[in-house]
Amino acid sequence: MITDTTDTTDTTDSSVTFINVFEIAADELDAFVEKWEQRARLMRDKPGFIDSRMHRARSSDSRFQLVNVSHWESQEAWEAATADPDFASRTRAAREETKQPVTPNPAVYDVVVELTAP
């Protein structure tokens, strides 16, 4: 089943998907994931949080070694949660604690096509 969810109406009250793909050295992954989980626990208790998953590439040759996908009840809930000063300082520290630069690529997305098994 394919559902085209393209909609030009105002989406301020609809759920959103936050995706952040990380460029990070393979030898930094385990330590980064451990710290990420601590930061994610802060988000879990925020109003509007639905779920979050961190995905790890199976190949060390992959450009993006980590991909975080989180769902929020609304854009506003996500913005309020990420504005938390404790979360912001921990996020900055996580990027600065690695030997090699970590490059996050965050953005909020809306679903435009959804596929489900028949």
Side-chain angles (χ1 to χ4, degrees):
M1 176 180 175
I2 298 175
T3 305
D4 180 354
T5 58
T6 304
D7 189 353
T8 57
T9 61
D10 181 18
T11 59
T12 56
D13 291 327
S14 63
S15 66
V16 295
T17 302
F18 170 74
I19 300 174
N20 196 355
V21 294
F22 296 90
E23 293 181 77
I24 182 172
D27 63 340
E28 305 261 11
L29 286 171
D30 292 333
F32 185 85
V33 168
E34 184 178 316
K35 297 282 186 173
W36 177 88
E37 187 173 1
Q38 293 170 5
R39 290 187 308 279
R41 290 184 187 282
L42 290 173
M43 295 290 102
R44 181 178 60 185
D45 297 331
K46 300 291 184 191
F49 175 84
I50 298 172
D51 63 22
S52 185
R53 290 191 172 126
M54 178 65 85
H55 304 266
R56 183 177 184 157
R58 289 190 170 193
S59 169
S60 61
D61 294 333
S62 180
R63 177 179 175 190
F64 301 114
Q65 287 295 303
L66 297 170
V67 177
N68 167 230
V69 179
S70 300
H71 297 100
W72 290 84
E73 290 178 359
S74 68
Q75 174 89 24
E76 293 77 13
W78 175 81
E79 289 172 355
T82 57
D84 179 304
D86 187 28
F87 177 75
S89 68
R90 288 183 188 207
T91 299
R92 260 190 318 280
R95 287 194 306 266
E96 295 167 359
E97 290 172 356
T98 59
K99 296 175 208 156
Q100 298 178 13
V102 173
T103 305
N105 299 276
V108 175
Y109 296 86
D110 293 316
V111 174
V112 294
V113 176
E114 181 175 354
L115 302 175
T116 58

